[in-house]
């Protein structure tokens, strides 16, 4: 099982980690059920489905059906896909209302284009970032997953994926592949200042660019934006950068500004930025 | 697996693309499950239904009383919607197989759960 404080993805593939013992936790443990249901509720909230209309949704990594049950409670119909037979057996025992599939999300979603009105995923997508076979390339699997997800969603539908990224590089890899697949959107962070309560929701839109919802925080007066926007539009660089001499201070400042726009971590600009160094450099 | 889901399923074997639809259904065990009737949802799903595939699946399962095409003004026709609700949401295939029409690959269905796992050679990624 996962080493103390370690991440389950490092110990092996998902279908082996989620065995009967783990599946039992997702059925019996009330704290587990509570957390999963709350996250499912928040994901459904971020999906902004039209009021009072029953929708056909996809649940990725549905597991024992905890999130799916919440969807059913809200009057929606859903299809769930999971890679662990033990978790799906637990879902059958709990008599979930949605249809279940045994499948690997990294191989694509086997549905016709425009099948689903929306998609949620709770604590599943980060498993795509670890590779357990020589043939597994995380970036390729992520792109395959996001491309097929983009296809099976109705035009203008959203996908809200709650995940536990290991670090910012992993989150960046995931968002880059989502953008390459055609999605726009960003990451909504709830309770960014609390280690326990902090949750990441990757909100993806398959239609025109819309406003990203604000993340929750303990202090409602906080203005800080904890999201970075990812769009398909390119900043026209020929006009801006043609006049800049390569390696000059202005060029360095422009490059740092560009990286900030992309949401990368950049050191603050000081009087030492782009300073001419001694010849030994 | 419900017939509504079967109607939207498409094979994702490498190189198959849109020719992977519809999956040929063979069922050895079927169950009728009563499901609460929601006319709004059924009416919304009617435009998405691929009728040829639905009729073929219904034939294989020897279902009676399956409408052959959407009736004019189906949103208000409760009898039609109830029939569609029964066919799409209440018929569950528990044991059987799904066959990809292009590659011939068989996906088994066990306890109502189709196994769509592909081997390394078959998957696109």
């Amino acid at each position: 099982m996962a080493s103390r404080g370690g991440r389950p993805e490092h110990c092996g593939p998902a279908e082996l980690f989620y065995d009967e013992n783990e599946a039992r936790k997702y059925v019996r443990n009330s704290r587990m059920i509570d957390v999963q249901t709350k996250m499912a509720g928040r994901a459904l909230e971020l999906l902004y489905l039209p009021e009072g209309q029953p929708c056909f949704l996809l649940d990725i990594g549905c597991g024992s059906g905890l999130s799916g049950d919440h969807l059913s409670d809200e009057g929606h119909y859903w299809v769930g896909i999971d890679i662990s037979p033990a978790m799906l057996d637990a879902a059958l025992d709990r008599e979930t209302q949605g249809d279940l599939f045994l499948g690997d999300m990294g191989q694509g979603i086997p549905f016709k284009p425009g099948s689903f009105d929306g998609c949620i995923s709770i604590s599943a997508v980060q498993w795509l970032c670890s590779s357990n076979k020589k043939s597994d390339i995380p970036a390729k699997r992520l792109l395959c997953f996001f491309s097929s997800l983009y296809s099976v969603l109705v035009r203008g539908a959203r996908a809200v994926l709650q995940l536990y990224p290991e670090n910012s590089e992993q989150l960046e890899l995931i968002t880059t592949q989502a953008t390459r697949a055609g999605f726009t959107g960003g990451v909504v962070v709830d309770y960014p200042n609390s280690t326990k309560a902090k949750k990441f929701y990757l909100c993806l839109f398959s239609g025109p660019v819309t406003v990203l919802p604000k993340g929750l925080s303990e202090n409602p007066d906080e203005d800080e934006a904890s999201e970075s926007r990812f769009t398909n539009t390119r900043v026209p660089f020929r006009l801006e950068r043609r006049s800049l001499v390569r390696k000059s201070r202005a060029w360095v400042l422009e490059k740092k500004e560009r990286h900030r726009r992309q949401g990368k971590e950049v050191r603050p600009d000081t009087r030492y930025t782009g300073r001419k160094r001694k010849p030994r450099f | 697996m419900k017939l509504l889901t079967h109607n939207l399923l498409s094979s994702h074997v490498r190189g198959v693309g849109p020719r992977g639809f519809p999956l040929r259904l063979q069922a050895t065990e079927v169950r009728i499950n009563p499901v609460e009737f929601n006319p709004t949802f059924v009416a919304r799903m009617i435009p998405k239904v691929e009728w040829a595939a639905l009729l073929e699946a219904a034939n294989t399962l020897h279902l009676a009383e399956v409408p052959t095409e959407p009736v004019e003004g189906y949103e208000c026709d409760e009898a039609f919607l109830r029939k569609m609700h029964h066919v799409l949401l209440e018929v569950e295939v528990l044991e059987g197989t799904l066959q990809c029409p292009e590659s011939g690959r068989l996906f088994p269905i066990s306890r109502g759960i189709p196994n769509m796992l592909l081997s390394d050679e078959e998957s696109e990624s």
Side-chain angles (χ1 to χ4, degrees):
Chain A
M1 294 300 113
S3 49
R4 295 247 166 224
R7 292 178 63 93
E9 297 98 69
H10 294 166
C11 294
E15 60 266 31
L16 294 183
F17 176 76
Y18 291 104
D19 58 2
E20 284 87 23
N21 283 326
E22 199 64 26
R24 213 172 296 131
K25 283 189 218 165
Y26 277 83
V27 174
R28 303 257 183 87
N29 187 326
S30 57
R31 189 191 73 88
M32 202 73 126
I33 296 176
D34 190 48
V35 169
Q36 295 285 313
T37 312
K38 273 213 185 78
M39 293 198 286
R42 177 68 173 142
L44 195 55
E45 194 187 307
L46 291 171
L47 214 44
Y48 283 116
L49 294 169
E51 280 274 333
Q53 214 178 73
C55 293
F56 197 51
L57 304 172
L58 176 64
D59 186 350
I60 295 180
C62 61
S64 59
L66 287 172
S67 43
D69 278 348
H70 184 83
L71 296 177
S72 298
D73 288 342
E74 296 294 311
H76 299 299
Y77 296 77
W78 56 278
V79 169
I81 188 164
D82 203 272
I83 200 172
S84 154
M87 292 291 263
L88 289 175
D89 279 339
L92 283 176
D93 291 336
R94 295 181 64 248
E95 297 194 350
T96 53
Q97 294 183 11
D99 269 351
L100 304 166
F101 277 88
L102 180 62
D104 183 351
M105 57 169 133
Q107 292 177 345
I109 316 285
F111 278 86
K112 258 167 45 189
S115 298
F116 295 105
D117 301 318
C119 163
I120 67 162
S121 172
I122 307 295
S123 320
V125 177
Q126 71 271 4
W127 283 92
L128 280 174
C129 297
S130 1
S131 116
N132 290 295
K133 292 191 287 204
K134 210 170 89 163
S135 48
D136 272 354
I137 305 170
K140 212 165 160 210
R141 281 165 58 78
L142 279 164
L143 186 60
C144 181
F145 166 63
F146 282 121
S147 317
S148 74
L149 181 61
Y150 189 80
S151 155
V152 305
L153 285 176
V154 156
R155 205 38 79 243
R158 297 174 177 223
V160 176
L161 316 173
Q162 186 274 327
L163 69 159
Y164 294 111
E166 190 174 351
N167 47 43
S168 59
E169 284 86 37
Q170 211 183 66
L171 191 56
E172 198 178 309
L173 172 65
I174 295 173
T175 47
T176 312
Q177 300 303 75
T179 313
R180 282 174 71 184
F183 282 113
T184 55
V187 180
V188 173
V189 186
D190 281 353
Y191 306 110
N193 302 316
S194 153
T195 29
K196 283 201 113 178
K198 186 175 188 179
K199 297 280 182 280
F200 291 87
Y201 295 88
L202 178 60
C203 297
L204 301 172
F205 314 137
S206 67
V209 178
T210 25
V211 179
L212 200 62
K214 266 187 97 78
L216 298 171
S217 62
E218 301 97 9
N219 182 5
D221 300 323
E222 250 173 50
D223 248 349
E224 96 181 61
S226 46
E227 318 106 26
S228 43
R229 307 251 352 242
F230 297 87
T231 64
N232 267 335
T233 55
R234 286 173 174 278
V235 177
F237 78 99
R238 287 196 182 278
L239 306 160
E240 277 183 44
R241 301 187 214 156
R242 203 168 25 181
S243 52
L244 294 174
V245 178
R246 273 195 82 211
K247 309 297 185 190
S248 68
R249 187 158 188 271
W251 179 86
V252 171
L253 288 171
E254 161 60 32
K255 183 171 181 183
K256 289 176 77 172
E257 193 52 48
R258 199 185 335 136
H259 280 220
R260 272 189 209 106
R261 280 197 297 264
Q262 291 173 6
K264 296 186 184 162
E265 243 186 68
V266 183
R267 297 292 217 158
D269 296 336
T270 67
R271 64 172 183 271
Y272 300 105
T273 306
R275 175 179 70 114
K276 207 160 167 21
R277 264 66 172 177
K278 275 201 221 167
R280 63 175 154 89
F281 250 70
Chain B
M1 184 195 62
K2 303 188 179 69
L3 284 186
L4 171 63
T5 317
H6 166 260
N7 199 267
L8 295 169
L9 260 180
S10 178
S11 165
H12 55 323
V13 171
R14 189 206 298 259
V16 153
R19 297 180 306 274
F21 177 83
L23 291 169
R24 241 165 263 138
L25 175 64
Q26 287 286 335
T28 48
E29 197 183 322
V30 178
R31 180 178 69 188
I32 307 290
N33 225 5
V35 171
E36 205 184 306
F37 175 56
N38 189 328
T40 333
F41 180 70
V42 183
R44 280 193 63 229
M45 289 290 119
I46 300 285
K48 285 195 192 165
V49 167
E50 192 62 52
W51 288 88
L54 181 66
L55 292 174
E56 198 189 315
N59 259 336
T60 329
L61 302 181
H62 309 296
L63 292 178
E65 282 218 28
V66 180
T68 44
E69 57 177 18
V71 170
E72 275 282 324
Y74 60 79
E75 294 99 335
C76 319
D77 189 345
E78 198 186 306
F80 172 77
L81 289 177
R82 275 196 185 272
K83 279 194 210 148
M84 289 310 296
H85 168 84
H86 175 78
V87 171
L88 291 173
L89 297 172
E90 290 187 337
V91 180
E92 248 197 80
V93 177
L94 292 177
E95 303 284 333
T97 53
L98 293 163
Q99 186 179 36
C100 169
E102 177 75 8
S103 65
R105 212 277 204 192
L106 288 169
F107 299 103
I109 308 176
S110 156
R111 293 184 72 187
I113 303 182
N115 181 339
M116 310 289 290
L117 285 170
L118 296 174
S119 67
D120 286 341
E121 300 84 46
E122 290 169 322
S123 85
E124 303 268 349
S125 71

